[in-house]
Amino acid sequence: MTDRETMARPPAAPGGDEAPRTALVFPGQGAQKAGMGEAWRDTASWALVAEISEYTGIDVEDLLLKADDETLRRTDLAQIAVFTVEVLAHREAEAAGLLGGVVACAGHSLGEYTALHAAGAVPLADTARLVAARGRTMRACAERSPGTMAAVVRLGPETVEALVGQVQEDGGQVWIANVNAPGAIVLSGTAEAVDRLAELAVESEGKVIRLAVGGAFHSPLMAAAADELREALAAVDFAPEHTPVVANVDARPYASGEHWRDLELTQLTSPVRWEESVRTLSGELGCVRFVELGPGRQLTGMIRRIADGALTVPVESAAALAKLTTPEP
């Protein structure tokens, strides 16, 4: 399916609405790549890069244009870089008129913070500071409690849960960290426990693939990061009402800022229930169009595997956005 076939502006929904019910979705850490800022460098929104640098004390322009892949593997730098590109994509898509019909937002892990900003729950300055604080605390926590993450393929959730339980019974520290889509589960834990589970997975005709990440994210090994992030969250005023955001931790939509401090603390040590979140967006909230804003198309691929018939619109560059919003001759 080509970008054009995703139908950035599909026919009006029944009932005469101008645009179909739309969800904005934002990818998480792992979407970063060297030079990813070039795709947005010549846009009007590029001025936001300097703003985010000021808010965070990080040279974000240097990160987006000059940092190599190794530098961008560092958790704190990766998170602010991905967040900034998502903000640029959102601003440009909004200015281009692509974001009509938005009824909800969601983000994968880090992307949940951009979703909160896009939903009107948190101003840009506060969101940028939160993302910077989150990255710092997660990096520091990972250095104190080393761990890793790994993808499991060819095994169903029940089998993975059973293997995790078996390793835990033997004293291993491993947990399910992400349930991304059918057949797409990610583990988090110590290297030893993940290696042990990998051995068991082979016996069940599955496979475990290590991921290049800086820690055992979305597991109890991140508990100290939650303690440190609490102070940063306490300093932020969340809007009392905002566009619904479907939370990673329970796949439920929240439209009130009062919940998010607890939700974001819990997110650090709990699984990202992405598959279930997409089902909430497409089922309960009736979203038929999913606009992915940020580097890459990680979420687009997952959504197509979860929501039958979903219209997916990846906005990963200014060029892609122009193609989506320029009428065909």
Side-chain angles (χ1 to χ4, degrees):
M1 181 179 290
T2 67
D3 281 350
R4 185 63 66 183
E5 288 169 338
T6 62
M7 296 169 62
R9 290 196 182 100
D17 293 337
E18 288 187 5
R21 294 179 70 84
T22 295
L24 305 184
V25 295
F26 301 88
Q29 186 178 344
Q32 72 273 9
K33 59 182 178 180
M36 63 183 178
E38 286 289 351
W40 302 100
R41 191 176 188 176
D42 295 329
T43 65
S45 297
W46 186 255
L48 294 172
V49 174
E51 285 187 38
I52 294 172
S53 297
E54 182 180 346
Y55 301 144
T56 61
I58 296 169
D59 187 343
V60 180
E61 180 168 319
D62 188 73
L63 274 184
L64 296 184
L65 300 177
K66 299 178 182 178
D68 59 17
D69 287 327
E70 184 62 34
T71 300
L72 288 170
R73 284 196 189 97
R74 212 178 92 176
T75 297
D76 53 338
L77 301 181
Q79 293 195 21
I80 200 66
V82 171
F83 165 74
T84 301
V85 171
E86 291 174 352
V87 169
L88 295 174
H90 177 257
R91 289 291 180 93
E92 289 297 315
E94 190 172 45
L98 186 65
L99 305 186
V102 173
V103 297
C105 301
H108 192 286
S109 188
L110 161 70
E112 188 162 87
Y113 285 74
T114 324
L116 286 168
H117 171 61
V122 193
L124 179 62
D126 285 338
T127 315
R129 293 186 191 109
L130 281 177
V131 169
R134 181 183 189 266
R136 287 193 303 268
T137 60
M138 289 175 69
R139 182 186 178 210
C141 185
E143 289 174 349
R144 291 192 298 268
S145 302
T148 189
M149 300 180 77
V152 184
V153 296
R154 299 198 298 269
L155 294 179
E158 296 83 4
T159 302
V160 177
E161 287 176 10
L163 295 180
V164 166
Q166 187 174 339
V167 175
Q168 288 177 345
E169 286 176 10
D170 294 335
Q173 293 182 299
V174 66
W175 300 269
I176 292 176
N178 307 154
V179 181
N180 287 329
I185 295 174
V186 176
L187 305 173
S188 208
T190 64
E192 296 79 11
V194 170
D195 286 345
R196 175 57 183 146
L197 195 143
E199 294 171 2
L200 296 174
V202 171
E203 296 173 11
S204 299
E205 300 186 347
K207 186 177 181 181
V208 172
I209 304 168
R210 284 277 199 103
L211 302 178
V213 296
F217 304 139
H218 301 292
S219 82
L221 293 179
M222 285 287 112
D227 292 339
E228 296 173 37
L229 185 59
R230 185 175 288 107
E231 185 177 345
L233 286 163
V236 172
D237 290 327
F238 289 82
E241 296 181 2
H242 57 77
T243 300
V245 177
V246 176
N248 287 179
V249 300
D250 59 5
R252 302 303 307 144
Y254 293 87
S256 173
E258 65 185 299
H259 303 285
W260 286 105
R261 291 182 186 86
D262 289 340
L263 288 167
E264 294 306 349
L265 290 174
T266 303
Q267 190 220 60
L268 285 177
T269 58
S270 301
V272 173
R273 295 162 65 171
W274 185 252
E275 179 180 348
E276 199 174 336
S277 296
V278 173
R279 295 193 192 284
T280 297
L281 290 166
S282 63
E284 180 178 337
L285 299 179
C287 296
V288 296
R289 184 175 69 142
F290 292 78
V291 180
E292 179 176 3
L293 298 154
R297 302 181 177 199
Q298 292 181 328
L299 301 183
T300 291
M302 296 176 190
I303 291 164
R304 287 180 180 172
R305 293 167 62 183
I306 300 164
D308 290 340
L311 302 172
T312 52
V313 186
V315 181
E316 56 190 332
S317 66
L321 178 60
K323 186 177 178 182
L324 287 165
T325 54
T326 302
E328 290 192 44

